[in-house]
Every structure is written in C-alpha cells, then in structure tokens.
Amino acid sequence: LEAQVANRTRHLAALNEVAAVTSQSLNIQETLTAALDKTLEVVGLEAGGIYLLKEGGQHLTIKVHRGLDESLVKAIDNLKVGEGFSGQVAQTGGPLIVRNIADDARLTRLAVREMGFRTLAAVPLAARGRVLGTIFLITRRDREFSQQEIELLASIGRQIGMAIENARLYEETRNRLAQLAALQETNRALVSTLELDVLLETIIQQAATLLKADGGILNLADWDKMEDEVVAGAGSIPNLLGERTPLDGGLSGWVTLHKQPIISNRLREDPRIDPKVLERFSGMPRNAAVAPLMVKDRAIGTLALIDKLGGEGEFDPADLDLLISFANQAALAIENARLFAQEQR
C-alpha cells in the first residue's frame, strides 16, 4: 500500500510538472518542446516526438522530437490518420503500447525497426473531445508500462492537448485582431483614390495580403454578354487581364449568378469549375475563396483569392467572413470610382 501511494504521489507530481511547463508559454512550438522534454524525463526514456494533425485532419506531421536522427524523422513524418502506431492512436483516440515494434504488423515505416527501437508508447493529445495529435515515447530496450503509467501518459496527453488548444485560441485571436486592423487600413486606402485602375489593383493586392493568399483575381461582370472579365490580378496569378469567361463556366461566375460567397478547398474536384479554366493557371491552384461584389442587390463582379498559404492551408469560415467584409467595402469603392469617371466624362 505504501508503494502504491508513493507511486501515485510521484505520478501526481509528474503531472503537475508537465502542467507547469505547458502553462509557461502560449507559443505552440515552445509548449510542445517543453512538454516532450518533461514527459521523457518523467518516464525515463531517451527518445520521442509529438505529431499534430494538419489542417483538414487527415495527416499527422512531427512538430518536435528528441533522440531521433533527422533521417528517421523524415522517414516517419506525414502519417495518414490510421497509418502506423501514432496514426492509429489519432484515429481511435486511445493509448497504445507496443512491446516489440519489429514484430508488430501495424508498423508501416520500417526505418523505426532499422534504427533498433523496440518498445513504444503513444497517447492522443486531446481537448474538448477532439484529437489534436499524438505524443510517442520510444526506446531501444525492453520496457514494461504499468497501468498507472499508461493512465499517467493519458493524463499528460490531455494536459498537452489543452495547452495546444489555448495556444491556438490565443494565436487565432491575435491573427483576427491583426486582420481587423489591416482591414481598417485597407478601407482607408480604398477611399483615398477615385482612379478606377489604381483602385482595382489596390483591392486585389490588399485582399491577397489580408487573407494570406498566394494570388487573387478581381472580375467584373458583363451582364449583357453574361461573361466575367478579369480586370486585376495579384501574386502567383498569371497575366489574365482581359480574359473573359462565361458566367456558367467557372467559380466566379457561379458566385456572381447566385450572389453567394463560397469556399472551395478541392478545386480540381469542384463540379462548378470548367477544367479548361484551371488549365490557364500555372501550378494548378488547390483552393479558393470567392465573394461577390454587391452594390445594393446587384452583383457587379467577384473577388477571388487562390491558394491560402501557397496551397498548404485551407480557407475557413472566418476567412470567408473577412473576405465578405472586404468585398462589401471594395464594391462601394468601385461604384464610387465608376460614378466619378462618368461625371468626369
């Protein structure tokens, strides 16, 4: 009984130590590094790492590691959910102990066996009922894990998960505040000119920067011919100025006709897009966010952003809300510039 109490006391002390190091910073990288180091110290193992789910939730990528060669890290990175040990933990949301890695059929990255590792423990990093990633601990010697140790590791996983969630919420809040500040600056820039060509360039450049898009296109609608015309572009978008597309032949046309903003994070699979339209782009864009330019109840065109974070990220509803706010301001600015040009003529 005394031994059990002593073990329980050590485990509670270890959990408190992990909680202490994970609460010292709101930087995710610093939090993960400190959490992994402390966990390895607590269980007395020499190597391990932390995977986090990428955007989309289908792949795991290693964010921090200890005691692993870079060649091994490269070999075991980018796991599919359900693949290998950590992939299975991410899929099931439960802990996993592997006492003999070399003989386990679930091993998919053989470099682990070649490096001589024998025993592995992996637990999910979870918060609010959602798996965010996994932490795995690995050793070249035989190592038995008691039920209490497994429960301790599961508790540590939940502790790290909450720290990750807090850090992400902080980062998202900070990013949104920065975006709102940038939106105010952009609005001031939009009302500072009535020259239509300058205004169109300003709109698309500012929109791409604001939403961290690799490129953007501003289309104006020609309702007489039922076509979209590219009037400005930014970033990686090839020179498409003057290009016209039928309103029923592309994503921008769909948005114009339906007066609805949309996100398409799988452009190649989107039935609303003519594949021939995508062929005009260099590098085949992966995703897009498109908002209509509305004046009163009339769509005068669209603002389309391509490939968030170079295609590595995905546009989300918060991005679309920001784009809609920007597009509403841009539409009024374009209409004012058009009216000014008419008065000049």
Side-chain angles (χ1 to χ4, degrees):
L1 181 60
E2 287 178 355
Q4 289 177 0
V5 171
N7 281 336
R8 184 62 176 166
T9 301
R10 281 198 299 272
H11 289 169
L12 288 174
L15 190 58
N16 285 335
E17 289 176 11
V18 173
V21 298
T22 56
S23 63
Q24 290 175 0
S25 173
L26 284 170
N27 179 284
I28 289 181
Q29 197 68 23
E30 292 177 0
T31 298
L32 296 181
T33 300
L36 178 60
D37 289 342
K38 181 56 69 173
T39 304
L40 288 171
E41 178 188 326
V42 165
V43 297
L45 294 184
E46 70 271 20
I50 292 179
Y51 285 100
L52 288 187
L53 282 169
K54 289 183 177 181
E55 286 190 40
Q58 297 303 311
H59 290 82
L60 292 159
T61 184
I62 292 182
K63 290 299 183 181
V64 296
H65 59 87
R66 286 288 183 270
L68 304 176
D69 292 340
E70 289 298 329
S71 59
L72 177 58
V73 173
K74 187 176 180 180
I76 64 175
D77 199 9
N78 200 37
L79 278 178
K80 291 180 181 178
V81 171
E83 177 191 359
F85 303 129
S86 286
Q88 186 177 64
V89 169
Q91 186 176 59
T92 64
L96 177 67
I97 305 298
V98 181
R99 291 177 175 81
N100 191 342
I101 291 172
D103 295 338
D104 197 297
R106 292 167 295 190
L107 179 66
T108 59
R109 306 293 174 94
L110 301 183
V112 178
R113 179 196 299 161
E114 293 166 2
M115 291 290 181
F117 287 105
R118 185 166 182 81
T119 306
L120 173 141
V123 296
L125 307 179
R128 306 177 190 277
R130 185 167 59 95
V131 174
L132 306 176
T134 68
I135 180 171
F136 69 93
L137 313 173
I138 194 167
T139 180
R140 290 182 172 87
R141 53 191 168 86
D142 288 327
R143 172 71 150 81
E144 292 292 330
F145 289 88
S146 67
Q147 186 59 38
Q148 278 190 333
E149 285 181 310
I150 296 171
E151 291 173 2
L152 171 63
L153 289 175
S155 297
I156 288 174
R158 289 190 290 271
Q159 190 73 47
I160 298 173
M162 286 303 300
I164 293 170
E165 185 73 2
N166 290 338
R168 283 183 172 174
L169 289 173
Y170 171 77
E171 190 66 23
E172 287 175 6
T173 301
R174 193 172 66 170
N175 286 340
R176 293 307 172 198
L177 288 173
Q179 287 178 336
L180 288 173
L183 183 59
Q184 288 181 325
E185 288 297 321
T186 299
N187 288 339
R188 280 194 282 269
L190 294 185
V191 299
S192 66
T193 180
L194 286 170
E195 292 186 41
L196 187 57
D197 291 341
V198 174
L199 178 64
L200 296 175
E201 287 294 330
T202 300
I203 289 170
I204 196 60
Q205 293 286 350
Q206 295 282 2
T209 301
L210 192 62
L211 275 84
K212 299 178 181 178
D214 200 40
I217 299 174
L218 198 157
N219 296 288
L220 292 181
D222 183 340
W223 284 103
D224 293 333
K225 296 182 179 179
M226 293 297 288
E227 292 177 338
D228 258 341
E229 181 183 358
V230 178
V231 294
S236 64
I237 300 302
N239 186 8
L240 298 176
L241 287 180
E243 290 272 348
R244 285 176 168 261
T245 305
L247 292 180
D248 59 359
L251 210 58
S252 290
W254 189 95
V255 170
T256 302
L257 290 170
H258 293 82
K259 302 177 185 178
Q260 293 179 15
I262 57 169
I263 292 172
S264 180
N265 282 317
R266 302 288 182 273
L267 279 180
R268 301 175 196 180
E269 304 163 14
D270 198 313
R272 295 167 294 195
I273 302 176
D274 185 342
K276 293 180 180 178
V277 174
L278 289 179
E279 291 173 2
R280 295 185 300 182
F281 294 88
S282 57
M284 190 68 77
R286 299 181 187 179
N287 51 51
V290 190
L293 298 169
M294 300 294 298
V295 175
K296 296 181 180 179
D297 196 35
R298 183 170 57 93
I300 64 170
T302 57
L303 191 56
L305 298 180
I306 308 295
D307 283 344
K308 182 178 178 179
L309 297 174
E312 293 301 316
E314 292 189 343
F315 292 105
D316 57 35
D319 291 325
L320 194 61
D321 289 341
L322 187 63
L323 182 59
I324 292 167
S325 297
F326 185 88
N328 289 338
Q329 294 294 327
L332 291 174
I334 291 170
E335 189 67 6
N336 289 338
R338 281 176 161 179
L339 292 173
F340 178 72
Q342 289 175 8
E343 289 300 319
Q344 279 188 317
R345 284 196 293 272

